[in-house]
């Protein structure tokens, strides 16, 4: 039974707005709350969300700029070397294709365009291609650019920042304790180091999680604490979309009510940050997707890397039906 009940959820909201961090016990109480407490819990997370972000919703769009061909062994990923999933594989897209993706992001009312490439990290040739595309996008379109290119070497973060990349994404994905069970070809600390490189270069740090990879509730709370300590400005919350052919392909989906509790937890522990509902929302949250916006203030629209997203008109519809408003961004 949860140690926090009834109107006491609002006390956690007050604590978050006051700048205080939840304790481990309070975080676990959120995740372990009785399902009958879900609506009061979501209301408490909404009080925090509304305090900092009103009823605005930020939209983001991903382009899979390089697919497959990855030497890493991440157990959740259809693009990894250990995956047998039948995905499309191609090298880094040319500049014209990346520019066309940016125009599509604008058409979808996305304020942030996310250029994502598979692999351990960018080669100099790949970095040059991204830099040239970003420069032209920044000169011609009112978009924020987020790059997600893997582990960065010395000097690469600075080049991306100089080109005009606003944000760099490198997810922690799972807890330090759980990390070795997910991948062996790089470490948790290497991911933290890349986020710190992005921060040092002046880019906004974006780092998030994938829920549903056999982590414990305590590890989920530890992840929220870690991202608060890392001071990530944007936190994508992915829910594992278990893809056949990957080591985690038979994982049990996250239950919709548990997914909502996770979002509430991250809002209460990281109250001032952009909480982004990301990959896997369609298959894990299903009909409860609209409720995510009571905690989150940001959505990915369109397809993900190798999986399809929800029809964008359905996203627009539930944003409107809830009385929320898409945030328009202009540089």
């Amino acid at each position: 039974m949860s140690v926090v009940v009834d109107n006491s959820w609002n006390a956690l909201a007050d604590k978050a707005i006051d700048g205080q961090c939840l304790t481990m016990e309070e975080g676990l109480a959120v995740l372990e709350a009785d399902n009958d407490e879900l609506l009061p819990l979501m209301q408490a997370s909404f009080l925090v969300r509304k305090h900092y972000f009103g009823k605005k919703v930020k939209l983001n769009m991903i382009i899979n700029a390089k697919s497959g061909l990855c030497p890493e062994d991440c157990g959740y990923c259809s693009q990894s070397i250990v995956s047998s999933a039948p995905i499309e594989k191609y090298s880094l897209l040319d500049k014209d294709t990346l520019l066309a993706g940016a125009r599509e992001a604008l058409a979808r009312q996305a304020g942030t365009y996310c250029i994502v490439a598979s692999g351990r990290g960018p080669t100099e040739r790949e970095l040059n291609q991204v830099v040239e595309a970003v420069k032209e996008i920044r000169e011609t379109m009112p978009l924020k650019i987020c790059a997600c290119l893997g582990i960065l070497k010395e000097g690469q973060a600075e080049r991306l920042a100089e080109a005009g990349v606003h944000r760099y994404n490198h997810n922690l994905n799972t807890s330090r304790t759980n990390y070795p069970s997910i991948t062996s070809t790089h470490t948790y600390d290497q991911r933290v180091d890349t986020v710190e490189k992005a921060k040092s270069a002046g880019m906004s740090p974006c780092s998030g999680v994938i829920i549903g990879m056999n982590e414990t509730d305590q590890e989920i709370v530890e992840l929220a604490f870690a991202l608060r300590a890392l001071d990530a400005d944007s936190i994508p919350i992915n829910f594992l979309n278990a893809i056949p052919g990957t080591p985690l392909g038979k994982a049990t989906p996250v239950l919709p009510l548990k997914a909502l509790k996770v979002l509430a937890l991250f809002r209460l522990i990281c109250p001032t940050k952009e909480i982004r509902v990301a990959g896997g929302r369609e298959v894990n949250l299903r009909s409860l997707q609209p409720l995510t916006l009571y905690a989150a203030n940001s959505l990915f629209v369109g397809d993900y890397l190798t999986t399809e997203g929800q029809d964008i008109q359905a996203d627009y519809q539930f944003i409107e039906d809830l009385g929320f408003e898409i945030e328009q961004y202009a540089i």
Side-chain angles (χ1 to χ4, degrees):
M1 176 64 71
S2 166
V3 299
V4 181
V5 294
D6 302 326
N7 292 330
S8 295
W9 297 119
N10 287 353
L12 294 188
D14 292 340
K15 187 173 183 178
I17 291 171
D18 194 43
Q20 301 177 57
C21 188
L22 272 61
T23 64
M24 173 60 74
E25 182 184 43
E26 289 167 336
L28 287 172
V30 170
L31 295 180
E32 296 167 2
D34 190 285
N35 288 340
D36 289 348
E37 287 292 309
L38 181 71
L39 290 180
L41 175 58
M42 295 308 294
Q43 170 63 15
S45 67
F46 177 65
L47 292 174
V48 181
R49 183 240 203 269
K50 188 176 181 183
H51 179 82
Y52 289 105
F53 301 100
K55 299 178 80 173
K56 300 283 189 179
V57 180
K58 296 182 180 182
L59 301 184
N60 313 266
M61 194 195 89
I62 291 173
I63 186 168
N64 191 5
K66 176 186 173 187
S67 183
L69 311 173
C70 183
E72 304 299 289
D73 67 353
C74 305
Y76 52 83
C77 185
S78 60
Q79 303 184 78
S80 79
I81 195 169
V82 295
S83 168
S84 61
I87 64 162
E88 189 176 3
K89 299 178 181 180
Y90 50 84
S91 57
L92 193 70
L93 299 174
D94 60 31
K95 183 171 75 170
D96 287 345
T97 306
L98 294 177
L99 290 171
R103 288 190 288 270
E104 178 61 24
L106 279 178
R108 295 181 184 184
Q109 301 185 66
T112 301
Y113 177 51
C114 307
I115 300 173
V116 184
S118 64
R120 182 178 179 84
T123 65
E124 285 305 299
R125 177 176 171 275
E126 289 169 340
L127 194 74
N128 289 338
Q129 285 180 252
V130 172
V131 163
E132 289 306 308
V134 168
K135 285 180 178 177
E136 186 159 341
I137 293 168
R138 288 298 312 278
E139 289 172 358
T140 59
M141 299 178 219
L143 281 171
K144 280 189 174 181
I145 306 297
C146 178
C148 178
L149 311 176
I151 296 170
L152 295 177
K153 300 173 186 174
E154 293 300 325
Q156 291 186 324
E158 287 75 12
R159 288 198 59 203
L160 290 168
E162 289 168 6
V165 173
H166 297 85
R167 172 183 291 169
Y168 196 82
N169 168 261
H170 203 53
N171 292 334
L172 296 186
N173 287 329
T174 196
S175 70
R176 182 184 292 276
T177 304
N178 197 40
Y179 208 84
S181 73
I182 302 303
T183 182
S184 67
T185 48
H186 60 270
T187 66
Y188 179 94
D189 286 330
Q190 284 177 298
R191 286 189 168 266
V192 172
D193 179 66
T194 286
V195 177
E196 294 291 0
K197 278 188 172 74
K199 288 168 65 176
S200 296
M203 289 184 287
S204 174
C206 174
S207 188
V209 303
I210 304 173
I211 302 299
M213 300 196 295
N214 302 313
E215 69 282 341
T216 65
D217 283 352
Q218 179 163 327
E219 287 172 334
I220 296 174
V221 180
E222 288 171 355
L223 259 175
F225 288 159
L227 289 166
R228 179 184 173 106
L230 196 57
D231 201 25
D233 292 330
S234 176
I235 303 175
I237 309 295
N238 299 275
F239 299 98
L240 180 68
N241 187 346
I243 299 174
T246 64
L248 287 169
K250 295 182 179 180
T252 303
V254 179
L255 293 174
L257 298 182
K258 181 58 173 287
L260 290 171
K261 293 170 191 175
V262 168
L263 289 166
L265 174 80
F266 276 84
R267 172 54 66 209
L268 291 167
I269 290 181
C270 303
T272 66
K273 304 305 185 180
E274 180 181 344
I275 304 296
R276 307 163 91 182
V277 189
R281 65 177 168 98
E282 297 85 353
V283 298
N284 289 271
L285 282 140
R286 302 191 293 275
S287 64
L288 297 189
Q289 288 182 72
L291 291 178
T292 63
L293 293 184
Y294 284 99
N297 63 304
S298 185
L299 286 176
F300 282 93
V301 291
D303 296 337
Y304 300 100
L305 297 176
T306 62
T307 58
E308 292 183 354
Q310 178 169 277
D311 179 81
I312 193 168
Q313 295 301 324
D315 290 332
Y316 292 157
Q317 191 65 64
F318 79 65
I319 291 171
E320 179 183 342
D321 289 348
L322 284 169
F324 286 68
E325 180 184 355
I326 296 171
E327 181 170 331
Q328 301 298 321
Y329 179 77
I331 295 177

